[in-house]
Amino acid sequence: PFTLEMSMLKEPWEKVQSRLASLPGNQGIEQRRLAYAAYFLRLGEGVVIEQGCYFIHPDRIVLDDDVRININTVFYGSGGIHVGRHCRIGPGCFVHSANHDIHHDPEKAYFEKGYVYLPTKIEDNSLISANVSILPGAVIGRNCFVACGAVVTRKQWPDNSKILGVPGISRTATANHKQDDSDKIQIEA
């Protein structure tokens, strides 16, 4: 929700983001961290937001301590997004928390029907690979790995899951799991 403190900020969020999102390197990371904190619901300690990341409704987004977001990632926070501590988000990801309401009034065009808002959550210590789409209502448990290009749909994903594919399916990691070498590529010099 929009707070009185936010209304007193000198610059609207869109101008701040437009000015800082494309700044490269450590200087850009530091400037974003300092300037963005006042606009987010919570921006934890040690958060790193790389170049080219965009946030819609940051006032509904929590990035907890030590979250790192790689280049060109987009967060649509209108339904609420929470990213837990020590999470890593790969480049080119899309995290969404609202979708068009497709079920009501068949006489209206989709853009006229409004939205369904569903909070999205990525719990502590999870790793989201490149080009992953996380859809509204998805709850990714602690210590999960999401493979490159996966589409994570609306459901509760258990702790320690490996989520892969389109749509995403889960393979729960177990202590007894041994990786076999049949899927490794051999490179000879």
Side-chain angles (χ1 to χ4, degrees):
F2 195 77
T3 65
L4 179 61
E5 180 184 85
M6 290 174 69
S7 69
M8 295 168 46
L9 297 173
K10 295 180 192 260
E11 272 188 286
W13 166 246
E14 292 77 15
K15 284 188 177 184
V16 171
Q17 180 168 244
S18 179
R19 190 178 78 249
L20 299 177
S22 63
L23 290 178
N26 289 334
Q27 182 180 8
I29 290 168
E30 184 63 14
Q31 286 187 33
R32 282 186 287 278
R33 187 184 64 75
L34 293 172
Y36 286 11
Y39 295 89
F40 277 73
L41 183 57
R42 175 164 156 48
L43 193 69
E45 293 293 320
V47 169
V48 172
I49 299 170
E50 294 283 353
Q51 182 178 355
C53 295
Y54 288 91
F55 301 88
I56 291 72
H57 298 290
D59 57 308
R60 299 175 188 165
I61 298 173
V62 171
L63 301 177
D64 224 329
D65 297 341
D66 191 40
V67 166
R68 302 204 180 208
I69 302 170
N70 213 319
I71 62 171
N72 300 325
T73 291
V74 177
F75 284 74
Y76 275 84
S78 51
I81 296 172
H82 184 121
V83 180
R85 296 175 7 171
H86 313 297
C87 286
R88 301 296 188 258
I89 312 288
C93 290
F94 175 70
V95 183
H96 205 352
S97 60
N99 210 345
H100 292 277
D101 185 349
I102 61 171
H103 298 294
H104 294 94
D105 198 350
E107 300 300 314
K108 286 185 176 179
Y110 286 112
F111 71 90
E112 297 175 313
K113 294 181 183 188
Y115 296 90
V116 175
Y117 299 96
L118 297 167
T120 302
K121 187 171 187 179
I122 303 167
E123 296 200 24
D124 296 350
N125 303 314
S126 290
L127 173 62
I128 312 302
S129 298
N131 299 314
V132 169
S133 294
I134 300 174
L135 302 182
V139 178
I140 299 171
R142 294 175 53 86
N143 304 309
C144 287
F145 169 78
V146 182
C148 183
V151 175
V152 183
T153 57
R154 175 185 170 187
K155 70 181 266 185
Q156 177 84 35
W157 298 87
D159 292 352
N160 304 307
S161 290
K162 293 180 182 176
I163 304 166
L164 26 120
V166 178
I169 59 168
S170 176
R171 292 177 56 190
T172 303
T174 64
N176 296 330
H177 176 73
K178 299 233 187 225
Q179 180 176 356
D180 99 18
D181 292 335
S182 64
D183 61 345
K184 291 187 179 175
I185 298 172
Q186 297 294 322
I187 300 175
E188 297 187 27

